Amino acid sequence: MRIDPSSHVPIYLQIADEIRAAVAAGIYRAGEVLPSLRAMAVEVQVNPNTVQRAYDELEREGLIFAQRGKGLFVAETGAASAQSGAEDGVRRLFDEGIRASQAAGMTRKQIFEIFHAALANSSKLGSNRP
Amino acid sequence: MRIDPSSHVPIYLQIADEIRAAVAAGIYRAGEVLPSLRAMAVEVQVNPNTVQRAYDELEREGLIFAQRGKGLFVAETGAASAQSGAEDGVRRLFDEGIRASQAAGMTRKQIFEIFHAALANSSKLGSNRP
Amino acid sequence: MRIDPSSHVPIYLQIADEIRAAVAAGIYRAGEVLPSLRAMAVEVQVNPNTVQRAYDELEREGLIFAQRGKGLFVAETGAASAQSGAEDGVRRLFDEGIRASQAAGMTRKQIFEIFHAALANSSKLGSNRP
Amino acid sequence: MRIDPSSHVPIYLQIADEIRAAVAAGIYRAGEVLPSLRAMAVEVQVNPNTVQRAYDELEREGLIFAQRGKGLFVAETGAASAQSGAEDGVRRLFDEGIRASQAAGMTRKQIFEIFHAALANSSKLGSNRP
DNA sequence: GTGGTCTAGACCACA
DNA sequence: GTGGTCTAGACCACG
């Protein structure tokens, strides 16, 4: 779980994205409890309120649900919805990159090369950055 | 020149990015004047102060320089620096997308498919929207 | 006895309301014992502490009283006080609904129609759900 | 705009309900600016963050939309969606009241009488309580 | 001035 | 211990 505090995208959305990805990846499974607000807050070095907001977001999406005094649980439909949500996010980033590259006058070949280089480089690091 | 007011990245940076891309694409050439503050403000439907900040940003990068009373000009080294800047930006977006997709447990094949779909879709729209 | 865990009104008050209604309806009569803490906790799928608070609430109202080691009993004056209590609660909900509808600019006719529809629909379900 | 701080329903939802009702009633019209966060916070004697949360809620519903630095505006589709939202809320309150009254063993006639009394009483006060 | 995010710390309902 | 709401006050982007 890595947060970039200097990013323009709000921390609470970054956290929500990370959790969504973790559910999509099967790290948290349907019916399981998520880390508590406070635990997560400690882990990502952030105020509990900020984590709460991330959880609110996910609850609204129907990905997780809360039980007072017990904790937060992954919904039955959570994995599926997390996967499509994650795909949408990735798609949006690629779209944005492609749009930017075309605005800069790059050819499809150039765009491809950049993408390939990025993908090749990422594999070297593995899926979880050290 | 397209601005997304609902994006998390500040409008002034979006404008700077667009101008950088335009320089990289050769739409604005070395020695040429950029549209005036006000003209640009009208074009992107934004407060002149915001355009000012974008120009400040680019000037700090050395991409453009101001001549009192005449306007803003593209630096000689502008095109080259804009190109590498644009590539960096695109690369960063792709990296981010790849990272997110791997965090969600997607395989290389799946990532590829999403990218291809995005690229195919984008060519339909044409590379530069007016 | 139905509890809505997603309601904003605390569960212990929901339980107290239900018991008050049951006394008003004559399901529990003066002098009779109420279900034990644990039995009630099992029935409504809730922590015994929460039921305890509901009983505390009712005892404070004088609707029920405890006899050490024997259980909780409905007070002689219980039925009457429960009835007026229940009426007050209903009245408060209707008042609130009427206030909200008027704030939204609805006419008396519209308000009536909504109420009738709600009442008609409810009779289909039967008056006491088990 | 009246808030009940002792209510169990969160202040931010009370505020959202009030604004929704005002839009439904045509007090705020499509395209118009709403009172600013801070102004509203002063009016309802509440922290600006709490108002912000109410506005967030309404923005998510598509009732209003924000423009950075400009203010909050009623969406074109706002009035319609506010009206159906307001009706739903009223309906929910009536349902709840009917359910409670039936649980207390009241007859339809009694329920009707309570409702009529509440409605009659409310008309005396007018739609905006003094 | 506007909205948007974040922090620190409080109190509540519930297990 | 858990989640949920609220406050006070800070900083940012934008007009």
Side-chain angles (χ1 to χ4, degrees):
Chain A
M1 177 80 61
R2 287 182 52 108
I3 259 53
D4 174 10
S6 74
S7 163
H8 292 117
V9 13
I11 296 177
Y12 78 94
L13 285 181
Q14 293 184 47
I15 296 173
D17 286 344
E18 293 280 342
I19 296 174
R20 195 180 299 111
V23 172
I27 294 172
Y28 302 128
R29 296 182 181 285
E32 281 184 15
V33 265
L34 291 171
S36 81
L37 280 181
R38 286 134 173 117
M40 183 67 84
V42 168
E43 189 190 331
V44 297
Q45 298 275 51
V46 107
N47 188 288
N49 284 341
T50 305
V51 178
Q52 161 94 288
R53 216 171 156 184
Y55 280 165
D56 277 356
E57 192 71 29
L58 296 170
E59 199 169 359
R60 236 176 289 118
E61 289 178 19
L63 209 111
I64 65 178
F65 61 94
Q67 289 200 3
R68 303 200 241 188
K70 288 189 185 165
L72 289 144
F73 301 81
V74 179
E76 286 307 320
T77 59
S81 114
Q83 270 169 29
S84 79
E87 266 185 43
D88 287 354
V90 171
R91 173 66 183 262
R92 231 175 294 122
L93 285 165
F94 286 167
D95 276 341
E96 179 59 24
I98 291 167
R99 200 193 71 75
S101 56
Q102 288 177 335
M106 298 184 198
T107 63
R108 287 172 67 98
K109 187 150 170 286
Q110 285 174 300
I111 300 174
F112 238 91
E113 277 165 9
I114 295 178
F115 180 76
H116 275 126
L119 191 53
N121 189 270
S122 82
S123 329
K124 281 189 236 149
L125 305 171
S127 55
N128 287 313
R129 280 105 19 91
Chain B
M1 178 80 64
R2 288 182 50 110
I3 260 54
D4 174 8
S6 74
S7 162
H8 293 117
V9 9
I11 293 177
Y12 79 95
L13 286 181
Q14 291 185 48
I15 296 174
D17 287 344
E18 293 282 339
I19 296 175
R20 195 180 300 111
V23 172
I27 294 172
Y28 302 131
R29 296 183 181 284
E32 281 185 14
V33 263
L34 288 175
S36 78
L37 240 166
R38 272 159 233 194
M40 184 65 84
V42 168
E43 190 190 333
V44 297
Q45 298 274 46
V46 114
N47 191 291
N49 288 340
T50 306
V51 179
Q52 177 68 57
R53 285 204 212 175
Y55 282 174
D56 285 351
E57 185 70 25
L58 296 169
E59 205 172 350
R60 220 177 310 118
E61 289 178 21
L63 202 107
I64 65 179
F65 59 94
Q67 287 201 1
R68 279 291 183 94
K70 290 188 180 167
L72 286 144
F73 298 82
V74 178
E76 287 307 321
T77 58
S81 109
Q83 267 170 33
S84 77
E87 267 184 43
D88 286 354
V90 170
R91 173 67 184 260
R92 233 175 294 122
L93 285 165
F94 287 166
D95 277 341
E96 179 59 24
I98 292 167
R99 198 196 68 73
S101 54
Q102 288 177 335
M106 297 185 200
T107 64
R108 287 172 67 96
K109 187 152 170 282
Q110 284 174 299
I111 301 174
F112 242 91
E113 277 165 10
I114 295 177
F115 180 77
H116 277 128
L119 190 55
N121 190 272
S122 81
S123 9
K124 281 188 235 151
L125 305 171
S127 53
N128 282 312
R129 302 127 201 230
Chain C
M1 176 84 62
R2 287 181 51 110
I3 260 53
D4 174 8
S6 74
S7 163
H8 293 117
V9 10
I11 293 178
Y12 78 95
L13 286 181
Q14 292 185 47
I15 296 174
D17 287 344
E18 292 282 341
I19 295 175
R20 195 181 300 111
V23 172
I27 294 172
Y28 302 131
R29 298 185 179 282
E32 282 185 14
V33 264
L34 289 174
S36 79
L37 242 165
R38 272 157 231 194
M40 184 66 84
V42 169
E43 189 190 331
V44 298
Q45 298 276 45
V46 113
N47 189 294
N49 289 341
T50 306
V51 178
Q52 176 69 58
R53 285 206 212 175
Y55 282 174
D56 284 351
E57 185 69 26
L58 295 169
E59 204 171 351
R60 221 177 309 116
E61 289 178 20
L63 202 105
I64 63 179
F65 60 94
Q67 288 202 1
R68 281 288 183 95
K70 291 189 181 167
L72 286 145
F73 297 82
V74 179
E76 287 307 320
T77 59
S81 109
Q83 267 170 32
S84 78
E87 267 185 44
D88 286 354
V90 171
R91 173 66 185 261
R92 231 176 294 120
L93 284 165
F94 286 167
D95 276 341
E96 179 59 23
I98 290 167
R99 199 196 69 72
S101 55
Q102 288 178 335
M106 297 185 199
T107 63
R108 287 172 66 96
K109 187 153 169 282
Q110 286 174 298
I111 300 173
F112 242 90
E113 277 165 9
I114 296 178
F115 180 76
H116 277 128
L119 190 55
N121 190 272
S122 81
S123 9
K124 282 189 235 149
L125 305 171
S127 54
N128 281 313
R129 307 137 203 218
Chain D
M1 177 80 62
R2 288 182 53 108
I3 259 56
D4 174 9
S6 74
S7 163
H8 292 118
V9 11
I11 294 177
Y12 79 94
L13 285 181
Q14 292 184 46
I15 296 174
D17 286 345
E18 293 279 343
I19 296 174
R20 195 181 298 110
V23 172
I27 295 173
Y28 302 127
R29 295 182 181 285
E32 281 185 15
V33 263
L34 291 171
S36 82
L37 279 181
R38 286 136 172 112
M40 184 66 85
V42 168
E43 189 189 333
V44 298
Q45 298 275 54
V46 109
N47 189 288
N49 284 340
T50 305
V51 178
Q52 161 94 289
R53 216 171 157 186
Y55 280 167
D56 277 357
E57 193 69 29
L58 296 170
E59 199 170 359
R60 236 177 287 119
E61 290 178 19
L63 209 110
I64 65 178
F65 60 94
Q67 289 199 5
R68 301 201 242 188
K70 289 188 183 164
L72 289 145
F73 301 82
V74 178
E76 287 307 319
T77 58
S81 112
Q83 271 169 29
S84 78
E87 265 184 45
D88 287 354
V90 170
R91 174 67 184 261
R92 232 174 294 122
L93 285 165
F94 286 167
D95 276 342
E96 179 59 24
I98 290 167
R99 200 192 72 75
S101 55
Q102 289 178 334
M106 298 185 200
T107 64
R108 287 171 67 98
K109 186 149 172 285
Q110 285 174 299
I111 300 174
F112 237 90
E113 277 164 9
I114 296 179
F115 180 75
H116 275 126
L119 191 54
N121 189 270
S122 82
S123 327
K124 282 189 236 149
L125 305 171
S127 54
N128 288 314
R129 280 108 13 95

